[in-house]
Amino acid sequence: MKKLNGKAWPLYRRLFAYVKPFWPVLMVGVVANIVYSVIDAGFTYMMRPFLDKGFINVDMSFVEKIPLLVLIGITIRGLVSSTGSYCMTWVARSVVKVLRQRVFAHIIRLPADYYDEATSGQLLSKILYDVEQVAQVSADALTDFVQNTCLVIGLLTVMMAICWQLSLMFLITIPFIGILVNFTNKRVRRISHKVQKSMGEVTEIAGEVIEGYRVVRIFGGEQYEVGKFKKATETSRQNDMKVAVSKAINVSGVQFIIALGIAMIIFASIQLSTVITITAGSFLAILAAMLQLIKPMKTLTTLNATIQRGLAGAESIFSLL
């Protein structure tokens, strides 16, 4: 883990330098995503008074406010979601523009020796494919990370506020999730470099054939080039599938760990019903929070693959620069 962080943090710092000029828009996006997550967690917390005051100990003054609360909450949630998504995408595309401009300007000034060793396909792959991987870290990954991290924190806070004894049992599962994510981190980062290399080979073969199509046809090399291209694309597919396997291990493993935590809490609440007394609304709110945790935890674990591919793209670009 230390070795991974030692490689990753310099990349993060260098990426932040490109994001820094756009920080006002980035902060608007981050705040909007935080508000979005807070509203989601707030709705989960409100399940307790909705059930207790709406169906068990009926409080008509509170019941009459429910439609207005739902209307305002969902409206604000939609607005901040759209704002956050737009701002993050704007920052990402701006970073991609700057990176592509700098990579292109740098390639033009490279010495002739570099062009003799590198192919046009490899250089095009860096400008087109590798930079696009960085965009995923800057926009999609950052948006999902902020939203889902804040939602996880919010839901855990809701659980602790309602009944900290039961919630502590769920927190036991967190270290096991961390171990699983750390394992897939290293695997995805390693495979992502292979994905980049295979994409470079695909672009290289296609570029050579397009540029030298006359030579290929004169010497009857069509079948050879087709076979060569098939082999390169198959290698690329295999590497992509290895990343997919890592994602699947992450998702299924995390869901199993979370399910185990939920089962433990339900079992404990039944066995300790005489010691820990909670209302029906409180129990339903805790259960809803735990079930809601599955989606953001799943997103965060699959997000790891996107981040690692983005960092691998950043590493490739920065090594060129």
Side-chain angles (χ1 to χ4, degrees), residues 57-311:
N57 299 317
V58 179
D59 182 353
M60 290 307 300
S61 62
F62 177 78
V63 171
E64 290 172 356
K65 296 176 184 176
I66 292 177
L68 182 62
L69 290 172
V70 172
L71 176 62
I72 293 173
I74 293 177
T75 302
I76 296 175
R77 181 179 179 272
L79 289 173
V80 295
S81 175
S82 301
T83 302
S85 178
Y86 177 83
C87 290
M88 293 300 194
T89 303
W90 188 90
V91 171
R93 302 324 301 180
S94 300
V95 170
V96 166
K97 179 196 73 174
V98 172
L99 274 175
R100 280 191 173 137
Q101 289 173 348
R102 293 196 179 184
V103 170
F104 184 78
H106 183 74
I107 287 175
I108 288 179
R109 294 193 299 269
L110 287 173
D113 292 344
Y114 188 90
Y115 284 94
D116 293 337
E117 296 176 2
T119 65
S120 59
Q122 291 172 338
L123 295 175
L124 284 172
S125 180
K126 289 183 182 294
I127 296 173
L128 300 176
Y129 180 76
D130 293 0
V131 173
E132 198 60 39
Q133 295 303 304
V134 177
Q136 293 183 6
V137 177
S138 305
D140 299 337
L142 186 56
T143 300
D144 288 340
F145 178 78
V146 172
Q147 276 189 0
N148 290 283
T149 300
C150 292
L151 184 56
V152 168
I153 294 172
L155 292 172
L156 290 175
T157 302
V158 167
M159 291 168 62
M160 295 294 289
I162 295 174
C163 183
W164 64 269
Q165 296 96 329
L166 294 178
S167 303
L168 282 177
M169 298 183 68
F170 185 81
L171 294 179
I172 296 173
T173 63
I174 301 299
F176 297 100
I177 294 174
I179 293 170
L180 180 63
V181 171
N182 182 40
F183 167 75
T184 52
N185 262 353
K186 296 177 181 178
R187 176 179 168 83
V188 171
R189 183 80 174 277
R190 184 175 64 253
I191 298 171
S192 294
H193 286 292
K194 294 180 180 179
V195 170
Q196 288 175 353
K197 185 179 177 181
S198 61
M199 280 301 299
E201 290 175 355
V202 170
T203 312
E204 176 185 345
I205 294 168
E208 287 176 350
V209 171
I210 292 170
E211 291 175 6
Y213 73 95
R214 287 190 179 91
V215 177
V216 173
R217 290 179 182 178
I218 289 171
F219 290 95
E222 291 94 336
Q223 286 301 117
Y224 171 76
E225 293 297 338
V226 168
K228 190 177 175 183
F229 189 78
K230 282 183 177 179
K231 184 178 178 181
T233 51
E234 175 61 20
T235 301
S236 177
R237 186 195 68 82
Q238 289 175 355
N239 289 329
D240 284 332
M241 292 311 300
K242 288 178 182 178
V243 174
V245 169
S246 298
K247 288 182 179 180
I249 293 172
N250 244 337
V251 172
S252 58
V254 168
Q255 289 191 8
F256 173 75
I257 294 171
I258 292 175
L260 191 62
I262 294 173
M264 287 169 53
I265 290 179
I266 295 174
F267 178 78
S269 62
I270 295 171
Q271 297 299 317
L272 303 175
S273 57
T274 56
V275 180
I276 303 174
T277 305
I278 58 174
T279 64
S282 298
F283 181 75
L284 182 62
I286 290 178
L287 190 60
M290 289 187 294
L291 292 173
Q292 270 194 282
L293 275 170
I294 294 175
K295 185 179 178 181
M297 293 295 283
K298 173 187 172 183
T299 303
L300 287 173
T301 51
T302 54
L303 188 64
N304 162 62
T306 304
I307 292 173
Q308 295 306 315
R309 293 179 76 163
L311 289 178

Side-chain angles (χ1 to χ4, degrees), residues 3-16:
K3 184 179 179 181
L4 180 66
N5 287 337
K7 290 182 178 180
W9 279 114
L11 294 175
Y12 279 121
R13 284 197 297 269
R14 200 161 177 184
L15 271 175
F16 289 152

